[in-house]
Amino acid sequence: MKIFYLGLPRCGSTSLAKALNILGFKSLRYQTEDNVVFQDVLKENIKNDDDPLKGFEEYDAFLEFRGYNYIHTLIKAYPDAKFIASTRDYDSWLESVKNHHRPRGLLETDQYYADLYEEASENIQLMIDAEYDNFLHFDYTKNRWNQLCAFLNKPFPVGVKYPHYRKSKKIDETEYDIVI
């Protein structure tokens, strides 16, 4: 099974990658350990009419590559794939992105971020509106294991707390996501 994350970074995607690994999926976030940027190769593969995942066959889950730009290509190439997106309100997302980019000298204009957020939100909303069976609009703030395991048809990892990376005060850090 292939899994594609369609949301923006800074919306729980790092924790989601760790959770997918716990469930037995090999996840790739943005680039390989050899600094090969997945999105660059994906675009080239699509341009050359190759399998979109050529060169990345060892991975099951793909995150942080602006997947929302490739929804139709990925659905066509992988009709049984699962698609996950999480969202976050614009102001908290913008603050998080700027805090992440500022120390690296990667800050863009507010208009750039607004356009990026709007583009992603519109594409994710299309998936929600289409009621696509293989799509999960993932709420990373609650019942994380319940949502994820049900969607991926995986057993709940009993006694394993949902992983957190870059914790936010808005997430209940004591929650164990008990199956109901």
Side-chain angles (χ1 to χ4, degrees):
M1 173 189 323
K2 296 298 182 189
I3 302 165
F4 300 99
Y5 175 75
L6 305 177
L8 289 168
R10 314 302 303 162
C11 293
S13 56
T14 303
S15 297
L16 176 59
K18 290 177 183 243
L20 291 169
N21 289 340
I22 290 169
L23 293 175
F25 298 103
K26 186 171 182 179
S27 300
L28 175 64
R29 284 183 50 247
Y30 185 68
Q31 65 186 21
T32 66
E33 291 178 8
D34 299 331
N35 297 320
V36 176
V37 177
F38 172 64
Q39 181 171 308
D40 294 344
V41 177
L42 174 69
K43 279 196 282 191
E44 192 65 25
N45 287 344
I46 292 169
K47 179 180 150 192
N48 294 332
D49 219 16
D50 286 330
D51 179 335
L53 300 182
K54 180 180 168 188
F56 296 95
E57 294 84 0
E58 70 184 277
Y59 297 98
D60 305 305
F62 302 85
L63 300 92
E64 296 190 12
F65 68 100
R66 295 192 184 173
Y68 52 85
N69 285 327
Y70 307 96
I71 293 170
H72 300 293
T73 300
L74 294 172
I75 288 173
K76 184 177 177 185
Y78 304 98
D80 296 328
K82 300 285 188 169
F83 296 86
I84 300 172
S86 55
T87 52
R88 184 175 183 175
D89 74 88
Y90 178 73
D91 290 332
S92 72
W93 175 80
L94 182 60
E95 179 183 352
S96 179
V97 168
K98 284 183 171 183
N99 288 340
H100 182 73
H101 287 172
R102 187 174 292 114
R104 295 165 178 78
L106 300 173
L107 280 178
E108 298 284 351
T109 66
D110 283 355
Q111 188 60 54
Y112 170 84
Y113 291 124
D115 291 346
L116 182 64
Y117 185 87
E118 183 178 338
E119 179 184 30
S121 297
E122 286 174 359
N123 281 294
I124 291 166
Q125 190 60 49
L126 288 173
M127 291 292 282
I128 293 169
D129 293 346
E131 297 181 13
Y132 183 64
D133 289 339
N134 287 349
F135 175 72
L136 172 65
H137 189 205
F138 186 63
D139 182 348
Y140 69 93
T141 65
K142 61 185 175 191
N143 297 320
R144 297 165 290 271
W145 280 132
N146 292 345
Q147 294 176 77
L148 202 54
C149 292
F151 179 66
L152 298 173
N153 198 27
K154 286 287 198 173
F156 183 83
V158 177
V160 179
K161 193 172 179 180
Y162 189 87
H164 290 287
Y165 187 80
R166 302 179 184 134
K167 293 179 184 176
S168 165
K169 294 176 187 172
K170 294 183 180 181
I171 297 176
D172 179 358
E173 297 177 17
T174 62
E175 181 184 330
Y176 281 86
D177 295 336
I178 298 170
V179 175
I180 299 172

